[in-house]
Amino acid sequence: MRAFVRLLQAAAVGLAVMPAPGQAQDQPLIPERRFVLSENADMPGGDLKSIFDTTIEACERACLTDTSCVAMTFNSRNGSCFPKSAAGPLAQYAGAY
């Protein structure tokens, strides 16, 4: 009888931690848009705009929220961001991501 009660308790705990229907299942595991950062690399050309005195996190948000942005370059040496309409070939540039 004790084993049966423990089994029921374990089942109740298992149900308590499961997400409600339609809650977690609606959220994709992998976001639609994401970045792969390359250190000390630039992608010349294709700039949509220039953003100065910013952070890499703000640069990422600027690109992720612009549907025409497919890539970005962030210059950590002067805090500038360049959201891009096209991902050009990688070029060596110290301090760029």
XYZ file of all heavy atoms in Angstrom:
715
model
N 0.826 -1.194 0.000
C 0.000 0.000 0.000
C 0.870 1.259 0.000
O 0.567 2.202 -0.695
C -0.933 -0.047 1.213
C -1.868 1.137 1.293
S -2.977 1.109 -0.105
C -4.338 1.950 0.555
N 1.971 1.254 0.814
C 2.858 2.421 0.841
C 3.475 2.659 -0.527
O 3.651 3.802 -0.946
C 3.963 2.221 1.870
C 3.488 2.414 3.282
C 4.662 2.340 4.213
N 4.206 2.528 5.576
C 4.885 2.234 6.633
N 6.087 1.695 6.509
N 4.414 2.443 7.828
N 3.837 1.604 -1.208
C 4.425 1.743 -2.545
C 3.428 2.397 -3.496
O 3.801 3.243 -4.311
C 4.863 0.383 -3.072
N 2.173 2.048 -3.391
C 1.137 2.626 -4.241
C 0.970 4.118 -3.939
O 0.856 4.936 -4.853
C -0.184 1.871 -4.046
C -1.294 2.392 -4.917
C -1.263 2.199 -6.286
C -2.368 3.087 -4.369
C -2.275 2.679 -7.089
C -3.380 3.568 -5.161
C -3.335 3.367 -6.537
N 1.003 4.498 -2.674
C 0.872 5.899 -2.278
C 2.065 6.698 -2.806
O 1.910 7.801 -3.314
C 0.727 6.030 -0.738
C 0.822 7.481 -0.296
C -0.582 5.409 -0.273
N 3.273 6.128 -2.689
C 4.468 6.820 -3.208
C 4.379 6.997 -4.728
O 4.782 8.024 -5.265
C 5.728 6.029 -2.844
C 6.088 6.166 -1.395
C 7.436 5.545 -1.112
N 7.607 5.425 0.323
C 8.093 4.391 0.942
N 8.505 3.348 0.256
N 8.200 4.367 2.249
N 3.860 5.992 -5.402
C 3.691 6.084 -6.845
C 2.715 7.202 -7.207
O 2.963 7.988 -8.118
C 3.207 4.743 -7.409
C 2.996 4.681 -8.909
C 4.320 4.905 -9.642
C 2.405 3.352 -9.308
N 1.621 7.315 -6.481
C 0.653 8.379 -6.719
C 1.264 9.751 -6.430
O 1.035 10.708 -7.168
C -0.600 8.183 -5.860
C -1.554 7.070 -6.308
C -2.706 6.935 -5.335
C -2.080 7.332 -7.705
N 2.070 9.853 -5.366
C 2.720 11.120 -5.039
C 3.710 11.509 -6.136
O 3.779 12.666 -6.542
C 3.436 11.026 -3.685
C 2.486 10.971 -2.511
C 3.206 10.689 -1.189
O 4.305 10.143 -1.176
N 2.553 11.065 -0.098
N 4.477 10.555 -6.601
C 5.437 10.828 -7.670
C 4.718 11.273 -8.943
O 5.167 12.186 -9.635
C 6.288 9.590 -7.945
N 3.615 10.644 -9.261
C 2.839 11.020 -10.438
C 2.286 12.429 -10.290
O 2.279 13.213 -11.241
C 1.715 10.021 -10.676
N 1.825 12.790 -9.101
C 1.292 14.130 -8.863
C 2.384 15.180 -9.020
O 2.162 16.244 -9.604
C 0.662 14.213 -7.471
N 3.596 14.887 -8.518
C 4.709 15.816 -8.674
C 5.071 15.945 -10.146
O 5.305 17.041 -10.659
C 5.930 15.360 -7.843
C 7.170 16.173 -8.198
C 5.625 15.479 -6.363
N 5.092 14.851 -10.878
C 5.401 14.873 -12.307
C 4.400 15.705 -13.086
O 4.760 16.452 -13.985
N 3.123 15.614 -12.746
C 2.108 16.415 -13.417
C 2.236 17.892 -13.068
O 1.941 18.756 -13.881
C 0.708 15.910 -13.040
C 0.326 14.540 -13.622
C -1.020 14.099 -13.075
C 0.286 14.598 -15.133
N 2.689 18.178 -11.850
C 2.810 19.572 -11.422
C 3.906 20.308 -12.180
O 3.803 21.510 -12.399
C 3.080 19.634 -9.920
N 4.956 19.615 -12.613
C 6.043 20.293 -13.313
C 5.880 20.291 -14.823
O 6.641 20.941 -15.520
C 7.421 19.679 -12.942
C 7.729 19.901 -11.497
C 7.496 18.226 -13.313
N 4.899 19.597 -15.345
C 4.657 19.603 -16.783
C 3.985 20.915 -17.176
O 3.168 21.447 -16.432
C 3.765 18.428 -17.193
C 4.454 17.079 -17.092
S 3.409 15.732 -17.605
C 3.084 16.143 -19.277
N 4.342 21.486 -18.326
C 3.722 22.742 -18.744
C 2.254 22.544 -19.078
O 1.830 21.454 -19.475
C 4.517 23.136 -19.982
C 5.122 21.869 -20.468
C 5.312 20.997 -19.257
N 1.497 23.595 -18.922
C 0.076 23.558 -19.279
C -0.031 23.399 -20.791
O 0.836 23.838 -21.535
C -0.601 24.837 -18.824
N -1.105 22.780 -21.279
C -1.270 22.610 -22.726
C -1.211 23.952 -23.447
O -1.805 24.928 -23.017
C -2.655 21.981 -22.855
C -2.929 21.368 -21.520
C -2.186 22.200 -20.525
N -0.462 23.983 -24.550
C -0.358 25.191 -25.346
C 0.630 26.210 -24.802
O 0.784 27.275 -25.355
N 1.307 25.903 -23.700
C 2.224 26.872 -23.103
C 3.610 26.727 -23.707
O 3.986 27.523 -24.547
C 2.265 26.656 -21.596
C 2.664 27.871 -20.808
C 2.513 27.627 -19.327
O 2.722 26.517 -18.855
N 2.138 28.638 -18.596
N 4.384 25.757 -23.312
C 5.754 25.599 -23.798
C 5.793 24.998 -25.197
O 6.733 25.217 -25.937
C 6.557 24.730 -22.835
N 4.794 24.245 -25.570
C 4.809 23.619 -26.887
C 4.722 24.653 -28.006
O 5.159 24.406 -29.106
C 3.646 22.616 -27.036
C 3.758 21.404 -26.169
C 3.128 21.618 -24.792
O 2.664 22.702 -24.459
N 3.116 20.588 -23.977
N 4.143 25.824 -27.728
C 4.002 26.852 -28.750
C 5.297 27.604 -29.013
O 5.423 28.270 -30.013
C 2.914 27.852 -28.348
C 1.528 27.214 -28.353
O 1.371 26.132 -28.949
O 0.614 27.791 -27.746
N 6.264 27.520 -28.103
C 7.515 28.239 -28.249
C 8.548 27.335 -28.900
O 8.811 26.249 -28.416
C 8.024 28.713 -26.889
C 7.073 29.669 -26.204
C 7.532 30.004 -24.805
O 8.552 29.516 -24.346
N 6.772 30.833 -24.126
N 9.139 27.795 -30.026
C 10.140 26.951 -30.688
C 11.396 26.819 -29.833
O 11.753 27.737 -29.095
C 10.439 27.711 -31.976
C 10.058 29.123 -31.686
C 8.933 29.069 -30.678
N 12.046 25.680 -29.930
C 13.279 25.464 -29.187
C 14.432 26.270 -29.752
O 15.304 26.712 -29.033
C 13.631 23.979 -29.177
C 12.641 23.072 -28.451
C 13.061 21.609 -28.601
C 12.549 23.443 -26.986
N 14.445 26.467 -31.062
C 15.500 27.237 -31.712
C 14.853 28.487 -32.305
O 13.903 28.389 -33.072
C 16.179 26.413 -32.823
C 16.799 25.163 -32.229
C 17.216 27.250 -33.558
C 17.350 24.201 -33.239
N 15.349 29.679 -31.936
C 14.745 30.898 -32.475
C 14.896 30.973 -33.989
O 15.823 30.399 -34.557
C 15.521 32.024 -31.787
C 16.718 31.390 -31.186
C 16.473 29.926 -31.068
N 13.975 31.681 -34.639
C 14.016 31.815 -36.091
C 15.282 32.528 -36.557
O 15.847 32.198 -37.581
C 12.803 32.602 -36.575
C 11.523 31.819 -36.524
C 10.368 32.609 -37.098
O 10.575 33.377 -38.054
O 9.266 32.463 -36.579
N 15.716 33.531 -35.797
C 16.900 34.297 -36.159
C 17.909 34.209 -35.038
O 17.571 34.324 -33.879
C 16.522 35.754 -36.409
C 15.481 35.888 -37.520
C 15.170 37.301 -37.821
N 16.282 37.846 -38.602
C 16.452 39.140 -38.826
N 15.627 40.008 -38.343
N 17.476 39.565 -39.531
N 19.165 33.993 -35.392
C 20.227 33.897 -34.402
C 21.544 34.306 -35.058
O 21.627 34.434 -36.274
C 20.308 32.508 -33.806
C 20.461 31.405 -34.826
C 20.153 30.055 -34.229
N 20.183 29.009 -35.200
C 19.198 28.678 -36.002
N 18.079 29.327 -35.942
N 19.308 27.705 -36.857
N 22.582 34.500 -34.228
C 23.873 34.965 -34.715
C 24.943 33.911 -34.533
O 24.901 33.121 -33.605
C 24.332 36.203 -33.933
C 23.621 37.454 -34.336
C 22.599 37.962 -33.568
C 23.984 38.125 -35.488
C 21.941 39.113 -33.937
C 23.328 39.281 -35.860
C 22.308 39.777 -35.079
N 25.906 33.952 -35.413
C 27.172 33.247 -35.257
C 28.220 34.344 -35.302
O 28.353 35.033 -36.312
C 27.402 32.225 -36.394
C 28.777 31.609 -36.273
C 26.324 31.165 -36.387
N 28.914 34.546 -34.188
C 29.908 35.619 -34.119
C 31.279 35.109 -34.534
O 31.711 34.050 -34.111
C 29.997 36.180 -32.699
C 28.821 37.025 -32.230
C 29.033 37.480 -30.798
C 28.619 38.222 -33.137
N 31.943 35.883 -35.354
C 33.332 35.622 -35.742
C 34.167 36.764 -35.194
O 33.879 37.932 -35.467
C 33.463 35.559 -37.256
O 32.681 34.506 -37.775
N 35.201 36.424 -34.425
C 36.043 37.447 -33.809
C 37.069 37.964 -34.809
O 37.599 37.214 -35.623
C 36.743 36.857 -32.588
C 37.459 37.882 -31.753
C 37.976 37.296 -30.454
O 37.902 36.079 -30.257
O 38.463 38.080 -29.646
N 37.314 39.280 -34.745
C 38.286 39.954 -35.614
C 37.949 39.765 -37.093
O 38.825 39.516 -37.917
C 39.714 39.485 -35.311
C 40.125 39.837 -33.897
O 39.825 40.916 -33.409
N 40.783 38.911 -33.236
N 36.670 39.880 -37.400
C 36.230 39.705 -38.784
C 35.178 40.751 -39.137
O 34.305 41.065 -38.336
C 35.647 38.309 -38.976
N 35.277 41.288 -40.323
C 34.333 42.269 -40.855
C 33.716 41.677 -42.114
O 34.274 40.765 -42.722
C 35.079 43.571 -41.182
C 34.151 44.674 -41.658
O 32.928 44.583 -41.438
O 34.662 45.642 -42.256
N 32.555 42.180 -42.478
C 31.911 41.832 -43.742
C 31.658 43.144 -44.477
O 30.606 43.756 -44.294
C 30.600 41.088 -43.494
C 30.785 39.702 -42.955
S 29.235 38.840 -42.672
C 28.601 39.721 -41.267
N 32.602 43.614 -45.268
C 32.447 44.902 -45.933
C 31.240 44.928 -46.871
O 30.903 43.927 -47.494
C 33.744 45.059 -46.728
C 34.698 44.076 -46.145
C 33.867 42.968 -45.582
N 30.602 46.105 -46.934
C 29.482 46.315 -47.850
C 28.153 45.886 -47.263
O 28.079 45.249 -46.220
N 27.083 46.278 -47.927
C 25.732 45.889 -47.552
C 25.180 46.599 -46.327
O 24.176 46.169 -45.760
N 25.805 47.706 -45.904
C 25.343 48.405 -44.704
C 23.948 48.995 -44.912
O 23.701 49.705 -45.885
C 26.305 49.538 -44.334
C 27.681 49.041 -43.924
O 27.870 47.814 -43.841
O 28.562 49.878 -43.695
N 23.054 48.689 -43.982
C 21.726 49.298 -43.982
C 21.775 50.667 -43.321
O 21.075 51.592 -43.736
C 20.725 48.413 -43.230
C 20.382 47.081 -43.878
C 19.645 46.182 -42.909
C 19.528 47.336 -45.117
N 22.561 50.772 -42.271
C 22.728 52.034 -41.549
C 23.959 51.917 -40.668
O 24.560 50.849 -40.552
C 21.491 52.359 -40.707
C 21.116 51.274 -39.697
C 19.812 51.619 -38.999
C 19.256 50.410 -38.270
N 17.979 50.677 -37.661
N 24.324 53.017 -40.037
C 25.449 53.052 -39.101
C 24.926 53.520 -37.752
O 24.191 54.508 -37.679
C 26.520 54.024 -39.585
O 26.975 53.655 -40.871
N 25.302 52.807 -36.694
C 24.904 53.165 -35.336
C 26.182 53.343 -34.537
O 27.007 52.430 -34.472
C 24.020 52.075 -34.705
C 22.814 51.767 -35.598
C 23.576 52.483 -33.305
C 22.046 50.517 -35.205
N 26.336 54.509 -33.922
C 27.565 54.807 -33.199
C 27.326 54.866 -31.697
O 26.190 55.048 -31.251
C 28.171 56.115 -33.705
C 28.544 56.045 -35.161
C 27.730 56.617 -36.117
C 29.683 55.374 -35.566
C 28.060 56.523 -37.466
C 30.019 55.277 -36.909
C 29.205 55.860 -37.861
N 28.402 54.727 -30.927
C 28.370 54.787 -29.467
C 27.354 53.785 -28.914
O 26.407 54.149 -28.211
C 28.053 56.211 -28.994
C 28.355 56.388 -27.513
O 29.209 55.655 -26.972
O 27.727 57.263 -26.882
N 27.538 52.514 -29.245
C 26.588 51.471 -28.850
C 27.332 50.248 -28.336
O 28.550 50.229 -28.260
C 25.653 51.130 -30.032
O 24.579 50.319 -29.566
C 26.390 50.417 -31.151
N 26.579 49.218 -27.990
C 27.143 47.967 -27.488
C 26.850 46.847 -28.475
O 25.979 46.989 -29.345
C 26.535 47.587 -26.124
O 25.125 47.323 -26.312
C 26.727 48.692 -25.099
N 27.530 45.729 -28.295
C 27.279 44.588 -29.183
C 25.866 44.040 -28.970
O 25.212 43.618 -29.922
C 28.356 43.485 -29.029
C 28.232 42.480 -30.175
C 28.278 42.833 -27.660
C 29.407 41.543 -30.300
N 25.358 44.084 -27.738
C 23.991 43.601 -27.468
C 22.962 44.473 -28.187
O 22.007 43.965 -28.775
C 23.715 43.581 -25.960
C 24.533 42.569 -25.185
C 25.922 43.051 -24.798
O 26.252 44.251 -24.986
O 26.719 42.219 -24.321
N 23.167 45.797 -28.154
C 22.252 46.703 -28.846
C 22.359 46.521 -30.361
O 21.360 46.609 -31.080
C 22.550 48.145 -28.464
N 23.552 46.235 -30.844
C 23.757 45.986 -32.269
C 23.006 44.724 -32.701
O 22.337 44.708 -33.737
C 25.255 45.864 -32.552
S 25.688 45.800 -34.304
N 23.104 43.673 -31.897
C 22.369 42.439 -32.186
C 20.867 42.698 -32.227
O 20.172 42.240 -33.133
C 22.686 41.375 -31.140
C 24.079 40.818 -31.238
C 24.419 39.861 -30.100
O 23.591 39.669 -29.195
O 25.522 39.313 -30.117
N 20.352 43.452 -31.232
C 18.915 43.767 -31.203
C 18.508 44.577 -32.430
O 17.432 44.346 -33.002
C 18.550 44.529 -29.927
C 18.381 43.653 -28.722
C 17.736 44.385 -27.544
N 18.453 45.601 -27.162
C 19.500 45.641 -26.355
N 19.970 44.539 -25.824
N 20.088 46.794 -26.066
N 19.359 45.523 -32.835
C 19.042 46.339 -34.009
C 18.891 45.467 -35.254
O 18.004 45.695 -36.073
C 20.134 47.390 -34.228
N 19.731 44.477 -35.377
C 19.647 43.586 -36.538
C 18.466 42.626 -36.411
O 17.724 42.423 -37.368
C 20.959 42.815 -36.719
S 21.016 41.834 -38.241
N 18.280 42.062 -35.243
C 17.197 41.090 -35.059
C 15.810 41.702 -35.245
O 14.881 41.021 -35.654
C 17.290 40.444 -33.673
C 18.413 39.425 -33.493
C 18.534 39.021 -32.030
C 18.194 38.215 -34.371
N 15.666 42.985 -34.954
C 14.359 43.629 -35.074
C 14.114 44.230 -36.455
O 13.023 44.710 -36.726
C 14.182 44.720 -33.999
O 15.236 45.676 -34.123
C 14.195 44.114 -32.604
N 15.095 44.197 -37.329
C 14.965 44.713 -38.696
C 14.890 43.523 -39.648
O 15.864 42.786 -39.811
C 16.172 45.598 -39.023
C 16.069 46.257 -40.386
O 15.234 45.834 -41.213
O 16.847 47.189 -40.627
N 13.751 43.342 -40.286
C 13.565 42.171 -41.146
C 14.488 42.172 -42.365
O 14.751 41.120 -42.939
C 12.106 42.053 -41.618
O 11.738 43.267 -42.280
C 11.180 41.783 -40.452
N 15.008 43.331 -42.759
C 15.913 43.361 -43.909
C 17.364 43.102 -43.505
O 18.229 42.990 -44.366
C 15.797 44.700 -44.643
O 16.068 45.771 -43.770
N 17.634 42.985 -42.216
C 18.991 42.734 -41.735
C 19.275 41.227 -41.719
O 18.533 40.455 -41.117
C 19.170 43.311 -40.326
S 20.845 43.127 -39.684
N 20.362 40.848 -42.388
C 20.755 39.430 -42.415
C 22.112 39.191 -41.763
O 22.511 38.053 -41.562
C 20.769 38.867 -43.856
C 19.380 38.921 -44.475
C 21.778 39.600 -44.718
N 22.815 40.273 -41.449
C 24.137 40.168 -40.818
C 24.451 41.513 -40.179
O 23.721 42.486 -40.369
C 25.206 39.805 -41.849
N 25.543 41.547 -39.421
C 25.966 42.795 -38.799
C 27.455 42.738 -38.549
O 28.043 41.663 -38.481
C 25.244 43.030 -37.482
C 25.527 41.934 -36.464
S 25.061 42.389 -34.816
C 26.551 41.921 -33.934
N 28.057 43.906 -38.437
C 29.435 44.017 -37.976
C 29.422 44.988 -36.815
O 28.828 46.067 -36.903
C 30.374 44.540 -39.081
O 30.436 43.573 -40.127
C 31.780 44.758 -38.541
N 30.058 44.580 -35.703
C 30.208 45.461 -34.549
C 31.685 45.710 -34.354
O 32.470 44.778 -34.233
C 29.601 44.840 -33.288
C 29.817 45.680 -32.061
C 29.081 46.836 -31.858
C 30.783 45.333 -31.130
C 29.296 47.631 -30.746
C 30.999 46.117 -30.005
C 30.255 47.275 -29.813
N 32.079 46.990 -34.320
C 33.467 47.375 -34.090
C 33.615 47.693 -32.606
O 33.124 48.716 -32.131
C 33.827 48.586 -34.951
C 35.281 48.969 -34.822
O 35.938 48.662 -33.841
N 35.789 49.658 -35.843
N 34.282 46.824 -31.878
C 34.430 46.995 -30.431
C 35.437 48.096 -30.078
O 35.435 48.583 -28.952
C 34.853 45.678 -29.778
O 36.127 45.279 -30.226
N 36.257 48.494 -31.019
C 37.264 49.528 -30.742
C 36.630 50.908 -30.613
O 37.118 51.748 -29.869
C 38.327 49.530 -31.821
C 39.111 48.220 -31.788
C 40.175 48.037 -32.818
N 40.421 49.094 -33.771
C 41.178 48.950 -34.838
N 41.745 47.791 -35.089
N 41.379 49.946 -35.664
N 35.535 51.155 -31.336
C 34.892 52.472 -31.242
C 33.386 52.389 -30.990
O 32.697 53.400 -31.056
C 35.196 53.316 -32.485
C 34.620 52.725 -33.746
O 33.835 51.788 -33.712
N 35.019 53.274 -34.884
N 32.853 51.184 -30.715
C 31.436 51.028 -30.382
C 30.488 51.343 -31.525
O 29.407 51.889 -31.319
N 30.861 50.976 -32.746
C 29.989 51.235 -33.894
C 29.378 49.934 -34.414
O 29.976 48.864 -34.324
C 30.753 51.954 -35.009
O 31.886 51.204 -35.389
N 28.182 50.071 -34.957
C 27.394 48.913 -35.409
C 26.940 49.146 -36.845
O 26.516 50.252 -37.191
C 26.183 48.762 -34.483
S 24.982 47.538 -35.017
N 27.020 48.090 -37.643
C 26.628 48.186 -39.037
C 25.707 47.013 -39.400
O 26.189 45.960 -39.831
C 27.868 48.212 -39.940
C 28.818 49.321 -39.587
C 29.868 49.089 -38.713
C 28.632 50.594 -40.095
C 30.732 50.110 -38.361
C 29.497 51.625 -39.750
C 30.541 51.384 -38.873
N 24.388 47.165 -39.218
C 23.457 46.133 -39.689
C 23.558 46.050 -41.213
O 23.713 47.070 -41.895
C 22.088 46.661 -39.243
C 22.387 47.664 -38.170
C 23.709 48.247 -38.529
N 23.456 44.827 -41.746
C 23.714 44.621 -43.171
C 22.565 43.908 -43.879
O 21.926 43.034 -43.319
C 25.004 43.831 -43.347
C 26.193 44.588 -42.754
C 27.489 43.855 -42.923
C 28.637 44.667 -42.393
N 29.014 45.790 -43.255
N 22.386 44.283 -45.143
C 21.363 43.639 -45.973
C 21.899 42.388 -46.647
O 21.130 41.604 -47.206
C 20.866 44.621 -47.034
O 21.943 45.005 -47.876
N 23.209 42.213 -46.625
C 23.849 41.039 -47.222
C 25.099 40.703 -46.427
O 25.758 41.599 -45.903
C 24.208 41.304 -48.682
N 25.378 39.424 -46.333
C 26.584 38.966 -45.640
C 27.690 38.805 -46.672
O 27.707 37.848 -47.430
C 26.321 37.650 -44.911
N 28.589 39.752 -46.702
C 29.703 39.698 -47.641
C 30.771 38.736 -47.159
O 30.669 38.138 -46.081
N 31.841 38.597 -47.930
C 32.938 37.699 -47.521
C 33.645 38.262 -46.294
O 33.780 39.483 -46.152
C 33.863 37.695 -48.747
C 33.534 38.943 -49.480
C 32.087 39.251 -49.207
N 34.077 37.381 -45.412
C 34.773 37.807 -44.191
C 36.133 38.391 -44.527
O 36.861 37.852 -45.365
C 34.947 36.627 -43.238
C 33.689 36.116 -42.527
C 34.033 34.925 -41.644
C 33.060 37.217 -41.689
N 36.425 39.503 -43.854
C 37.721 40.160 -44.006
C 38.312 40.340 -42.602
O 37.586 40.668 -41.663
C 37.562 41.505 -44.708
N 39.596 40.150 -42.481
C 40.288 40.320 -41.190
C 40.187 41.775 -40.754
O 40.497 42.689 -41.521
C 41.746 39.896 -41.346
C 42.525 39.868 -40.075
C 42.183 38.675 -39.188
O 41.458 37.789 -39.573
N 42.705 38.668 -37.996
N 39.720 42.007 -39.506
C 39.658 43.364 -38.949
C 39.720 43.239 -37.433
O 38.767 42.736 -36.817
C 38.383 44.084 -39.371
C 38.400 45.558 -39.048
C 38.819 46.493 -39.986
C 38.007 46.013 -37.793
C 38.851 47.841 -39.697
C 38.030 47.371 -37.499
C 38.456 48.278 -38.440
O 38.487 49.601 -38.149
N 40.804 43.687 -36.823
C 41.003 43.564 -35.392
C 39.932 44.321 -34.616
O 39.670 45.486 -34.891
C 42.387 44.084 -35.000
N 39.285 43.634 -33.679
C 38.271 44.255 -32.829
C 36.870 44.211 -33.374
O 35.939 44.705 -32.744
N 36.671 43.635 -34.544
C 35.337 43.559 -35.139
C 34.729 42.178 -34.901
O 35.419 41.177 -34.811
C 35.395 43.854 -36.638
N 33.397 42.160 -34.799
C 32.636 40.917 -34.656
C 31.552 40.898 -35.697
O 30.962 41.898 -36.019
C 31.984 40.833 -33.264
C 32.993 40.706 -32.155
C 33.556 41.827 -31.565
C 33.392 39.456 -31.713
C 34.481 41.698 -30.550
C 34.323 39.327 -30.695
C 34.864 40.461 -30.116
O 35.794 40.336 -29.105
